[in-house]
Amino acid sequence: LGHYGSQNKGNALRLVIVEKFGGFYLDADMIVVNDPTILSDGLAQQGMGVYNNAAFKFSHAHHPLVQIFINDFIANYQGGKWGFQGPLMFSRVIKKRLKCELNPENSSLVCPTFQSEQMTKWPTSAVYPLPWHAGTHMRNPFEAVIEKYHVNLDDPSSSIMIHLWHRHSKRGEAKMCLSGFERYKESFIGHLKTEYCPIVTEAVFSLSEGENGYCEF
């Protein structure tokens, strides 16, 4: 399976489940802040032209595009390259194999070599309002991050979910947690989790320092 075999098991499993049952897939480090059902079938670019596989929706089973993703995953598998079976695979299929282009009138993706149900390119701001490198900024005060990245949580059509980029934010989050609950909830990531994931947040802080799971999100 290669160096990133464990990661690629997750990349494969999400495709197989959505292909079999249809539905919405979200990474575990996505925080939903507004109603995601307003999103039609599709996916989003995280920026720099990369279609990320951290969030996508294909509402019915056996969607032909998901089947194409699976076929490419198998045919071009390279487990030693980070992201090759995930975001880079989504981008490779949509941009190079299917040669999809954006219709600016309705944000649909038009793919000359693929005729199927309408597929939408979600606004980057709705799903990935913070770029991946912002993961290191999430311990900063909530208002400072909101202002820096122009995030509007009160507008349901603007920000629907926020990717916390756990790989980059986890170290800073642990430091904020160890500084105490009051300090933690003033940070951007602490504010979001306190507001939108209260049960998990309360469970973590109900533990005593040194207990298994303390400050582990």
Side-chain angles (χ1 to χ4, degrees):
L1 293 176
H3 182 73
Y4 296 102
S6 296
Q7 181 186 93
N8 288 328
K9 288 178 183 179
N11 287 329
L13 189 59
R14 70 191 69 180
L15 290 173
V16 171
I17 292 174
V18 172
E19 196 283 330
K20 183 173 182 178
F21 299 104
F24 220 134
Y25 171 81
L26 299 178
D27 270 5
D29 60 347
M30 301 288 290
I31 297 253
V32 177
V33 298
N34 281 301
D35 183 7
T37 62
I38 68 172
L39 294 169
S40 55
D41 283 5
L43 65 174
Q45 287 183 341
Q46 69 176 55
M48 300 177 66
V50 176
Y51 285 92
N52 201 314
N53 65 336
F56 56 91
K57 177 185 177 183
F58 296 100
S59 53
H60 65 78
H62 313 305
H63 193 287
L65 180 59
V66 182
Q67 293 173 340
I68 292 175
F69 284 145
I70 291 174
N71 291 338
D72 189 274
F73 187 100
I74 296 169
N76 299 300
Y77 185 84
Q78 294 191 41
K81 294 182 178 180
W82 185 91
F84 195 81
Q85 302 303 127
L88 298 182
M89 185 270 290
F90 269 41
S91 302
R92 183 169 66 247
V93 168
I94 292 172
K95 296 165 68 175
K96 293 185 177 180
R97 180 173 175 180
L98 301 180
K99 303 184 186 307
C100 302
E101 295 184 355
L102 181 67
N103 180 347
E105 293 184 2
N106 58 8
S107 296
S108 64
L109 286 168
V110 180
C111 312
T113 61
F114 173 74
Q115 301 297 325
S116 182
E117 302 90 338
Q118 180 170 306
M119 178 176 61
T120 302
K121 175 187 174 295
W122 301 338
T124 299
S125 61
V127 184
Y128 305 111
L130 277 67
W132 65 267
H133 53 78
T136 57
H137 301 166
M138 295 207 185
R139 58 182 173 181
N140 293 344
F142 176 76
E143 293 297 338
V145 177
I146 287 287
E147 182 177 350
K148 179 178 177 63
Y149 293 102
H150 309 291
V151 179
N152 185 359
L153 301 181
D154 298 322
D155 182 358
S157 63
S158 175
S159 296
I160 297 173
M161 59 190 81
I162 295 177
H163 197 177
L164 297 180
W165 307 107
H166 181 68
R167 183 182 179 190
H168 302 281
S169 64
K170 60 182 179 181
R171 183 175 300 176
E173 181 177 19
K175 288 182 178 179
M176 293 304 299
C177 176
L178 291 170
S179 66
F181 180 64
E182 292 303 317
R183 181 98 180 272
Y184 173 77
K185 69 180 183 180
E186 291 175 357
S187 68
F188 180 78
I189 196 167
H191 180 97
L192 285 180
K193 289 194 173 181
T194 303
E195 179 74 18
Y196 298 101
C197 308
I199 295 175
V200 172
T201 305
E202 289 174 10
V204 169
F205 279 97
S206 69
L207 300 171
S208 300
E209 186 171 354
E211 268 189 273
N212 186 35
Y214 180 72
C215 282
E216 294 181 7
F217 291 90

